Amino acid sequence: MAGLNPGGRSPEASNLQRLGVFGGTFDPPHLGHFILAAEAIQQLALTRLLWVLTADPPHKQGRAVTPASERLAMLQAALASAEQAGETGFELSLIDIDRPPPHYAIDTLALLRQQHPGAALVYLMGADSLADLPTWHRPQEFIARCDEIGVMRRPGQAVDLAALESQLPGLSVKVRFFAAPLVQISSTELRKWLASGRNCHYYLPPGVLAVIETRRIYR
Ligand code: ATP
Ligand code: MG
């Protein structure tokens, strides 16, 4: 993705890196996630994008979440197929697998800051997550820790940034909206479809369905 580096300078110079951080449960990873990631690289001129699989998502306590090992296998398959298709900007981060819970994004960012000194950290999310931000752990400090927050608009999800700004002052200067034409798709819907035997082939990145079938994940 060197060609997308702002100013065309070497991405190796770490102070010029624009690192996308895309956290999620990815249960399963779907086309919506990959469209978000690919559009973020393009539209926000990211040098690289880290896929941060959250082992124990703080927002999904009390909900059944597929074991991290299964979600990791699905995400690895999707990333391998992306790489085969020529995508060089994606990287898997195990930072929220390797450390004990709770996996708050604010702590993830602090650790990534240590690992990538000088890089601009662009935290990525869908508009539904932006609307939820006031309920995140220490949201004000989380916002302060992000250099930018890249938000992809999600169908059916209106965002009132002014209202959010009044709850979380300093948010709006960090937010960079980007958009893509997208089907309304979510992991929740896909889990239901997969459990009922519906054909989800077109909604999942190549390789993911094979992992689901082999490991019988959503049966
Ligand atoms: P679930 O239904 O289980 O919550 P999900 O589809 O929302 O799953 P997550 O793993 O919760 O997927 O989401 C990770 C990130 O991806 C979040 O920031 C979410 O907003 C974003 N995201 C997921 N699906 C889409 C989509 N279709 N368009 C834009 N953003 C999306
Ligand atoms: Mg979600």
Side-chain angles (χ1 to χ4, degrees), residues 22-28 30 32-33 36 60 63 124-130 152-155 182-189 191:
F22 187 29
T25 315
F26 307 126
D27 184 16
H30 57 65
H33 299 132
L36 184 154
K60 295 180 179 167
R63 262 192 264 174
L124 303 171
M125 60 180 72
D128 57 315
S129 300
L130 181 68
M152 191 165 96
R153 295 187 180 279
R154 200 168 175 176
L182 188 61
V183 287
Q184 184 145 0
I185 179 174
S186 71
S187 297
T188 300
E189 199 73 9
R191 287 193 300 276

Side-chain angles (χ1 to χ4, degrees), residues 27-28 74 187-201 204 208-209 212-213 217-219:
D27 184 16
M74 292 187 282
S187 297
T188 300
E189 199 73 9
L190 286 168
R191 287 193 300 276
K192 283 188 213 150
W193 290 0
L194 287 159
S196 71
R198 183 165 164 175
N199 181 358
C200 296
H201 178 84
L204 297 165
V208 173
L209 197 55
I212 291 171
E213 282 170 356
I217 298 178
Y218 297 110
R219 292 293 140 145

Side-chain angles (χ1 to χ4, degrees), residues 144-211:
R145 242 170 231 189
C146 297
D147 292 295
E148 294 169 31
I149 301 175
V151 180
M152 191 165 96
R153 295 187 180 279
R154 200 168 175 176
Q157 184 76 44
V159 183
D160 187 345
L161 191 57
L164 280 170
E165 172 71 25
S166 66
Q167 289 181 72
L168 299 170
L171 174 64
S172 50
V173 292
K174 297 269 172 106
V175 170
R176 309 279 177 271
F177 283 113
F178 60 104
L182 188 61
V183 287
Q184 184 145 0
I185 179 174
S186 71
S187 297
T188 300
E189 199 73 9
L190 286 168
R191 287 193 300 276
K192 283 188 213 150
W193 290 0
L194 287 159
S196 71
R198 183 165 164 175
N199 181 358
C200 296
H201 178 84
Y202 300 108
Y203 297 94
L204 297 165
V208 173
L209 197 55
V211 174

Side-chain angles (χ1 to χ4, degrees), residues 35-193:
I35 290 170
L36 184 154
E39 290 296 333
I41 286 201
Q42 290 277 349
Q43 297 189 39
L44 305 180
L46 303 178
T47 326
R48 267 191 304 155
L49 186 151
L50 297 182
W51 289 77
V52 181
L53 180 70
T54 308
D56 191 11
H59 274 86
K60 295 180 179 167
Q61 301 302 319
R63 262 192 264 174
V65 173
T66 302
S69 56
E70 308 282 46
R71 290 184 285 120
L72 181 60
M74 292 187 282
L75 186 56
Q76 281 171 325
L79 291 174
S81 69
E83 195 176 339
Q84 269 171 24
E87 177 60 70
T88 56
F90 292 165
E91 204 175 297
L92 177 65
S93 170
L94 299 181
I95 199 161
D96 283 355
I97 299 275
D98 291 343
R99 71 186 172 103
H103 297 129
Y104 296 126
I106 184 176
D107 301 324
T108 311
L109 279 177
L111 290 167
L112 288 175
R113 196 58 88 199
Q114 286 170 16
Q115 290 179 5
H116 304 275
L121 298 182
V122 183
Y123 200 94
L124 303 171
M125 60 180 72
D128 57 315
S129 300
L130 181 68
D132 281 347
L133 212 55
T135 69
W136 286 30
H137 184 63
R138 287 155 52 202
Q140 201 73 62
E141 288 159 85
F142 165 76
I143 293 163
R145 242 170 231 189
C146 297
D147 292 295
E148 294 169 31
I149 301 175
V151 180
M152 191 165 96
R153 295 187 180 279
R154 200 168 175 176
Q157 184 76 44
V159 183
D160 187 345
L161 191 57
L164 280 170
E165 172 71 25
S166 66
Q167 289 181 72
L168 299 170
L171 174 64
S172 50
V173 292
K174 297 269 172 106
V175 170
R176 309 279 177 271
F177 283 113
F178 60 104
L182 188 61
V183 287
Q184 184 145 0
I185 179 174
S186 71
S187 297
T188 300
E189 199 73 9
L190 286 168
R191 287 193 300 276
K192 283 188 213 150
W193 290 0

